[in-house]
């Protein structure tokens, strides 16, 4: 059986919507329905419907004076997100390697997207028993060290937005009571780092610290994961926590934190 190419799964309407967005390049500021129809060889009605959809989602907006369209704020936000993530990844890689060289446990950099923690990059330990890379995986915010490290410095109201209505218990250590969890976040804030004490995966422990950029906003987290028997409370307190705090500060400086003001 011949394996299908990705082209065989392409959705035509989505492709046309992306074609429209890609027309707003170079010196092009605004385009009308007729211009886009001629450029893309699409029927005007199709172009209008696609523009209306993109407009509703904020990817384009209409100039009421000219009735032409231009890129919307959502397109700008996506571009800025891409630049932040690429800058974060580029700057984080050597820091991750340094962490692993120092403690020989797997290190990650992650962000929160759509209410979940997403691991963007990792450097693995060379130990026989180790936590393998979870790059691309999505984890709940409330039972991951990197999630807790990122929301602990938000207001209580903002932190609560990351909590599902029902906090699922993944292990016997998962905190599922909202009030206890918010109290726990205050401890994280005071300590400067978060710990996932086998709260998502039995036998796996994780320590995380926030990463800030030039706006002083938390934009991600650094973490170290390993078998719980190696990441003892004493080791976390004496070695891993201070190491991550130093590394998080170093990476934040690379992203411009503390430069302004």
């Amino acid at each position: 059986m011949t394996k299908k190419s990705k082209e065989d799964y392409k959705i035509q309407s989505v492709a046309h919507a992306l074609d429209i967005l890609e027309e707003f390049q170079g010196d092009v500021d605004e385009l009308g329905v007729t211009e886009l129809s001629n450029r893309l060889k699409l029927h005007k009605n199709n172009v209008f419907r696609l523009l209306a959809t993109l407009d509703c989602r904020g990817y384009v907006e209409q100039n009421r004076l000219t009735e032409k369209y231009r890129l919307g704020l959502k397109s700008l936000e996506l571009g800025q997100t891409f630049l932040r993530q690429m800058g974060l990844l580029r700057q984080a890689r050597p820091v991750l390697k340094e962490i692993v060289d120092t403690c020989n446990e797997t290190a990650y950099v992650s962000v929160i997207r759509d209410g979940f923690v997403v691991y963007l990059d990792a450097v693995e330990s060379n130990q026989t028993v180790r936590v393998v890379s979870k790059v691309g995986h999505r984890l709940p915010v409330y039972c991951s060290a990197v999630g807790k490290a990122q929301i602990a410095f938000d207001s209580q109201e903002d932190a609560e937005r990351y909590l599902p209505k029902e906090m699922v218990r993944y292990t016997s250590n998962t905190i599922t009571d909202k009030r206890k969890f918010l109290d726990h976040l205050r401890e994280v804030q005071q300590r400067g780092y978060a710990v996932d004490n086998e709260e998502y995966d039995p036998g796996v422990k994780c320590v995380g610290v926030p990463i800030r950029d030039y706006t002083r906003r938390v934009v991600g987290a650094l973490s170290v994961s390993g078998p719980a028997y190696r990441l003892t409370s004493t080791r976390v307190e004496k070695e891993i926590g201070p190491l991550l705090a130093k590394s998080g500060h170093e990476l934040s400086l690379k992203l411009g934190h503390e430069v302004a003001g």
Side-chain angles (χ1 to χ4, degrees):
M1 183 176 176
T2 305
K3 185 178 180 181
K4 290 184 177 181
S5 70
K6 289 184 178 179
E7 283 290 322
D8 295 319
Y9 295 99
K10 186 171 70 176
I11 299 173
Q12 201 66 38
S13 59
V14 176
H16 288 328
L18 294 173
D19 288 339
I20 287 176
L21 290 176
E22 289 173 0
E23 286 299 312
F24 294 90
Q25 297 190 60
D27 296 327
V28 177
D29 291 325
E30 296 183 348
L31 289 169
V33 174
T34 301
E35 291 171 278
L36 285 166
S37 175
N38 292 334
R39 284 173 178 239
L40 299 173
K41 303 296 187 289
L42 294 174
H43 193 280
K44 284 186 181 181
N45 187 52
N46 287 345
V47 172
F48 178 80
R49 290 167 64 88
L50 289 167
L51 283 168
T53 302
L54 292 168
D55 194 353
C56 288
R57 298 298 296 269
Y59 290 96
V60 299
E61 59 185 24
Q62 189 177 34
N63 183 332
R64 300 305 174 189
L65 294 177
T66 65
E67 295 188 346
K68 292 185 176 183
Y69 291 83
R70 59 197 175 206
L71 290 179
L73 288 175
K74 197 68 177 180
S75 295
L76 174 63
E77 290 172 6
L78 278 181
Q80 289 179 330
T81 298
F82 173 79
L83 290 174
R84 281 199 304 270
Q85 289 187 354
M86 291 306 99
L88 176 59
L89 286 174
R90 186 171 59 253
Q91 299 289 358
R93 189 69 182 179
V95 176
L96 292 175
K97 288 181 178 178
E98 187 177 339
I99 291 171
V100 177
D101 287 344
T102 303
C103 70
N104 203 15
E105 302 290 354
T106 300
Y108 293 95
V109 61
S110 64
V111 295
I112 293 177
R113 288 291 178 270
D114 300 324
F116 288 88
V117 167
V118 181
Y119 289 98
L120 299 180
D121 197 8
V123 175
E124 289 189 12
S125 160
N126 62 14
Q127 302 206 53
T128 303
V129 179
R130 65 182 183 273
V131 175
V132 296
S133 172
K134 296 178 182 176
V135 171
H137 286 200
R138 287 158 39 111
L139 297 176
V141 172
Y142 66 92
C143 53
S144 61
V146 284
K148 292 188 286 187
Q150 290 180 74
I151 69 172
F153 299 89
D154 288 339
S155 67
Q156 179 175 310
E157 181 181 357
D158 287 339
E160 285 188 36
R161 291 175 184 168
Y162 292 101
L163 305 182
K165 290 183 179 179
E166 181 183 357
M167 297 171 70
V168 178
R169 183 178 297 280
Y170 292 93
T171 74
S172 59
N173 288 350
T174 307
I175 303 173
T176 57
D177 180 271
K178 183 180 292 187
R179 183 54 49 196
K180 288 182 179 178
F181 181 79
L182 293 173
D183 290 341
H184 177 68
L185 286 185
R186 283 191 282 274
E187 294 174 8
V188 171
Q189 190 179 60
Q190 292 171 0
R191 189 169 53 218
Y193 62 85
V195 178
D196 160 13
N197 185 26
E198 301 182 69
E199 295 163 42
Y200 184 74
D201 282 325
V204 176
K205 210 166 182 178
C206 183
V207 185
V209 296
I211 304 164
R212 300 178 185 272
D213 68 2
Y214 64 95
T215 68
R216 302 186 180 182
R217 187 169 59 91
V218 175
V219 294
L222 281 176
S223 64
V224 162
S225 294
Y229 70 85
R230 280 207 306 262
L231 266 61
T232 62
S233 297
T234 299
R235 190 183 180 205
V236 167
E237 181 181 350
K238 301 294 184 182
E239 179 190 353
I240 305 297
L243 171 62
L244 279 175
K246 176 178 175 293
S247 300
H249 179 66
E250 176 187 335
L251 180 53
S252 295
L253 287 177
K254 289 177 181 290
L255 296 174
H257 180 51
E258 293 188 351
V259 171

